[in-house]
Amino acid sequence: EAQRRRFLPAIARGEELWCQGYSEPEAGSDLAGLRTVAVRDGGGYRVSGQKIWTSLAGEADWCFVLARTDPGERRHRGLSFLLVPMDQPGRIEVRPIRQMSGTAEFNEVFFDGARAPHVVGGEGAGWRVAMGLLARERGVSTLVQQIGFAAELAAVIAAAVRGGAVRDPALREQLVRQWAELRVMRWNALRTLGAAGDPGAPSVAKLLWGGWHQRLGELAMRVRGAAAALGPVDWSAGAPYELDALQRLFLFTRADTLYGGSDEIQRNIIAERVLGLPRLER
Ligand SMILES: Cc1cc2nc3c(=O)[nH]c(=O)nc-3n(C[C@H](O)[C@H](O)[C@H](O)COP(=O)(O)OP(=O)(O)OC[C@H]3O[C@@H](n4cnc5c(N)ncnc54)[C@H](O)[C@@H]3O)c2cc1C
């Protein structure tokens, strides 16, 4: 309760920004293989290790870090969900990962004995807390995301009207199909609010919106036609390139089937936990 009072109001007001410290160089889909460790220190912990692909780590005030607190346990056991303040010079280093587009949204984050004053759910409960949070990211949180999706679809439709692509019957049909699917996704996301305990619900939602958003990016490029491939007038200026909103939409949506757990992992979860299929050799 004390953590709720301390952190939730500032999150809701957008005053404190957070980043997600799950993935590591050797632990992405296989998150339970993570190597970051934390040892008790006074009332809190000291964290050491490396995270990667940490979105907006350079802007975040706090990071929630999944780390091993019990070296005697393996895999999902012995992990804890720690809250780490990012402003710790000498103890936390954030290195931006520059992409082809010239932007650097995500980062490598190195922890060297960084202070973690809070543990969520108690020591050793990290996997349960992290999976609970991931289920929200894959499922219910899309209710908010869909406000953005609707605005992006409106921009694609406006570009189709402006550029004349609406006269192409095939593209026209795809625009309507995209709109109808967005409605279905919204109703489905609303249903997941009451589907706690259904192990497949977040994975179904993630598969739906990841694929839908990726198709929207592709449709945006088809609507623009050949002009979609055009870059800035003066390429010599180098990265970051001044791409327009639809080009950025297309490029970013390539990642939709990866972050938050890839499509393959969502299908594995459904196969094993819902359909009861035997686990494949890893
Ligand atoms: C835009 C973006 C933002 C991100 N932000 C964050 C963040 O803020 N914090 C954070 O912690 N992480 C973040 N990530 C990392 C993301 O969670 C991982 O990329 C994702 O979990 C996949 O892990 P990986 O990249 O190590 O790929 P890998 O796990 O190496 O997977 C590579 C490929 O193999 C497939 N694969 C792996 N295992 C299996 C299997 N058992 N069965 C079938 N196929 C399999 C995967 O589906 C994938 O196609 C972000 C990623 C992206 C793209």
Side-chain angles (χ1 to χ4, degrees), residues 20 22-23 28-29 53-55 106 255 258-259 262 264-265 268:
Q20 180 184 60
Y22 286 179
S23 306
S29 300
W53 314 124
T54 321
S55 299
F106 44 37
L258 284 173
Y259 65 84
S262 71
E264 288 79 9
I265 295 305
N268 282 349

Side-chain angles (χ1 to χ4, degrees), residues 97-104 106 235 238-241 243 251:
I97 301 172
R98 200 152 293 284
Q99 299 163 69
M100 282 170 80
S101 59
T103 57
F106 44 37
W235 286 93
Y241 307 117
L243 301 176
L251 288 178

Side-chain angles (χ1 to χ4, degrees), residues 18-31 51-57 63-64 99 105-107 134 137-138 252 254-268 272 280-282:
W18 288 73
C19 59
Q20 180 184 60
Y22 286 179
S23 306
E24 298 184 4
E26 300 300 326
S29 300
D30 186 24
L31 185 58
K51 298 293 176 179
I52 195 169
W53 314 124
T54 321
S55 299
L56 305 176
C63 185
F64 48 90
Q99 299 163 69
E105 177 211 271
F106 44 37
N107 307 268
L134 266 182
E137 181 179 346
R138 291 167 183 163
F252 185 80
R254 307 318 295 165
D256 282 325
T257 48
L258 284 173
Y259 65 84
S262 71
D263 273 18
E264 288 79 9
I265 295 305
Q266 304 317 311
R267 285 193 282 267
N268 282 349
E272 290 167 14
L280 286 181
E281 291 279 327
R282 297 270 197 271

Side-chain angles (χ1 to χ4, degrees), residues 177-216:
R177 180 176 298 197
Q178 207 73 18
W179 179 87
E181 286 175 356
L182 182 59
R183 301 299 291 182
V184 173
M185 275 198 312
R186 181 173 159 70
W187 295 327
N188 189 60
L190 285 169
R191 279 197 312 191
T192 63
L193 284 172
D198 175 348
S203 296
V204 170
K206 173 81 213 293
L207 285 171
L208 278 176
W209 68 254
W212 181 89
H213 202 212
Q214 210 161 71
R215 286 195 301 281
L216 181 68

Side-chain angles (χ1 to χ4, degrees), residues 6-7 30 44 55 96 109 119 126 146 169 176 180 262:
R6 162 64 186 83
F7 293 113
D30 186 24
S55 299
V109 183
V119 56
Q146 285 176 25
V176 175
S262 71

